[in-house]
Amino acid sequence: MNEAGLITGPGLLFVVSGPSGAGKDTLVEALREHRPGLRYSVSATTRARRPEERNETHYLFVSGAEFRRMLDEDALLEWREYGGNLYGTPRDYIEQSLSEGYDVIMKPEVNGALAVKAAYPDAVLIFLVPDRFSNLRERLLARRTETNEEIARRLEIAQQEMKFIRRFDYIVVNAQDRPQEAVRDLDAILQAERFRIHRYPDASIHAVESS
Ligand code: 5GP
């Protein structure tokens, strides 16, 4: 049952994407603090772990061979090469969580987001953008996790990614000095999607009618 007293079907899948440096990590983290019931899909990656990252919490850090084995076993819902590393979404966790009625959030790059939509047409795609494109560079520089070359590559990819914005369901602007507004906007999207009538099976609605 949800707050409206209606029995709900499977959980909802929320995909937050957008260019590197737009603030996906920070915002999704803040959103999850606010909504502890929301499950997070941990991606597998061959990228080197950053000092502040923990295996199985931030990513499943795997070798190239392990990643290929996952591909052979069809264990990834989608995968992409990004900046010379491989990233992919484990299939089982999402399938199981949704079928158990849990909402799931994930944050792949843009092509990955579109691949998820192809597999799950009901997925809600949210495109996160900075208020000014030039802020991307500043954010990437400030976090000091990439070399200058890697930053240049990420900005090139960002330009390409912006071309796909119209294939998303929502746009959220992450203003440099007001990140709490973007968290609030994301939260509003999650809330509204819950109440869309097509998400309720007829049986749930009839059950209310006859109660
Ligand atoms: P980072 O190295 O900064 O953690 O991530 C680089 C890019 O890979 C980001 O745009 C991030 O959203 C994306 N990414 C992370 N996990 C996945 C995934 O499972 N699939 C895809 N397609 N992209 C991912």
Side-chain angles (χ1 to χ4, degrees):
M1 287 266 190
N2 73 0
E3 292 138 57
L6 298 175
I7 295 164
T8 58
L12 309 183
L13 182 55
F14 295 98
V15 185
V16 178
S17 193
S20 178
K24 296 190 289 267
D25 297 358
T26 316
L27 289 189
V28 169
E29 205 170 299
L31 186 69
R32 288 174 62 211
E33 269 171 32
H34 185 61
R35 289 184 175 254
L38 188 61
R39 288 197 171 177
Y40 175 65
S41 163
V42 178
S43 295
T45 184
T46 60
R47 163 164 83 57
R49 192 174 61 81
R50 296 175 189 148
E52 73 283 5
E53 289 176 328
R54 270 184 292 136
N55 191 31
E56 295 184 12
T57 301
H58 295 94
Y59 279 108
L60 212 57
F61 292 98
V62 297
S63 64
E66 282 170 311
F67 198 95
R68 277 189 296 280
R69 187 180 51 73
M70 293 174 97
L71 283 177
D72 289 345
E73 292 172 354
D74 199 25
L76 299 177
L77 173 63
E78 62 76 37
W79 68 279
R80 282 291 178 282
E81 189 258 303
Y82 180 98
N85 296 303
L86 303 175
Y87 297 81
T89 306
R91 185 189 296 280
D92 280 1
Y93 181 76
I94 291 196
E95 271 178 13
Q96 196 179 330
S97 298
L98 294 178
S99 71
E100 287 172 1
Y102 289 99
D103 293 345
V104 179
I105 197 159
M106 57 191 294
K107 45 179 175 64
E109 49 67 64
V110 170
N111 289 297
L114 297 175
V116 171
K117 185 81 171 178
Y120 286 94
D122 250 4
V124 180
L125 262 56
I126 304 162
F127 201 104
L128 189 65
V129 286
D131 47 349
R132 287 187 306 131
F133 208 77
S134 57
N135 287 346
L136 287 181
R137 186 163 183 279
E138 282 167 31
R139 283 207 185 115
L140 289 172
L141 280 171
R143 75 184 189 193
R144 295 168 175 271
T145 50
E146 284 88 19
T147 63
N148 284 348
E149 231 171 54
E150 283 164 349
I151 290 176
R153 178 84 192 102
R154 281 177 181 238
L155 290 173
E156 253 172 55
I157 296 172
Q159 296 274 5
Q160 296 302 319
E161 290 184 319
M162 290 299 290
K163 296 188 179 142
F164 294 99
I165 199 162
R166 291 255 173 230
R167 310 242 322 249
F168 282 63
D169 299 304
Y170 293 95
I171 180 170
V172 168
V173 177
N174 187 17
Q176 181 98 316
D177 51 350
R178 300 187 305 282
Q180 65 285 2
E181 283 183 16
V183 178
R184 187 203 59 200
D185 292 345
L186 275 179
D187 193 59
I189 293 168
L190 264 66
Q191 187 72 2
E193 283 290 330
R194 235 312 128 232
F195 293 106
R196 293 190 65 182
I197 200 85
H198 77 270
R199 304 226 183 262
Y200 293 87
D202 285 346
S204 306
I205 293 167
H206 294 324
V208 173
E209 256 172 12
S210 56
S211 64

